[in-house]
Amino acid sequence: MSAPHDRPHPLVDPYLRIILSALGPRRATAFLTAALKAHQEERAREGTIQLGFCAYLSDRLGETWGRTLAEISAWEAMQAVRRLVRADPEADLGRQLSHGLALALAVASGPTPTAAY
């Protein structure tokens, strides 16, 4: 049996699915990859003057991000993920983003063939 932190947080998972649903698997993969890199940059700069996660994510997404309802929905879902993770000392944003990324990659790769018995 895996430890609780090895699974998506039960309150975070629905927001990760909102991101996937809003953007589709390919764009969600790109968005979650950018979010994971923004989180890593924020952690690397911890203890120094920094812009923070949102600025790093926005920079990675580019100036044209946030013009569609799907992108706005994904952005807001990401903000909810961050608030939930900050409120739970056992949760880790990087791990949660990795779970979301794995989900998006699994959906993007399509259904796995089932063995014929």
Side-chain angles (χ1 to χ4, degrees):
M1 179 180 223
S2 62
H5 62 271
D6 290 339
R7 295 186 303 270
H9 190 286
L11 297 177
V12 169
D13 188 56
Y15 292 99
L16 295 172
R17 292 181 182 279
I18 288 170
I19 292 168
L20 178 60
S21 176
L23 298 177
R26 288 192 189 111
R27 290 184 66 214
T29 298
F31 179 74
L32 290 165
T33 298
L36 188 55
K37 288 180 180 179
H39 169 67
Q40 291 165 344
E41 184 172 358
E42 182 180 45
R43 301 266 323 248
R45 295 176 183 232
E46 200 168 280
T48 66
I49 296 174
Q50 60 169 297
L51 299 174
F53 175 84
C54 291
Y56 301 139
L57 178 56
S58 180
D59 188 49
R60 289 183 186 322
L61 296 173
E63 292 179 16
T64 61
W65 179 267
R67 295 186 180 169
T68 68
L69 291 177
E71 291 170 348
I72 293 167
S73 179
W75 183 272
E76 293 301 322
M78 180 57 62
Q79 297 314 305
V81 167
R82 289 188 67 238
R83 283 191 297 274
L84 289 168
V85 168
R86 276 195 238 156
D88 184 350
E90 298 294 317
D92 175 71
L93 182 58
R95 186 172 285 120
Q96 298 306 310
L97 294 175
S98 293
H99 286 303
L101 186 55
L103 175 65
L105 289 169
V107 171
S109 67
T112 56
T114 56
Y117 290 99

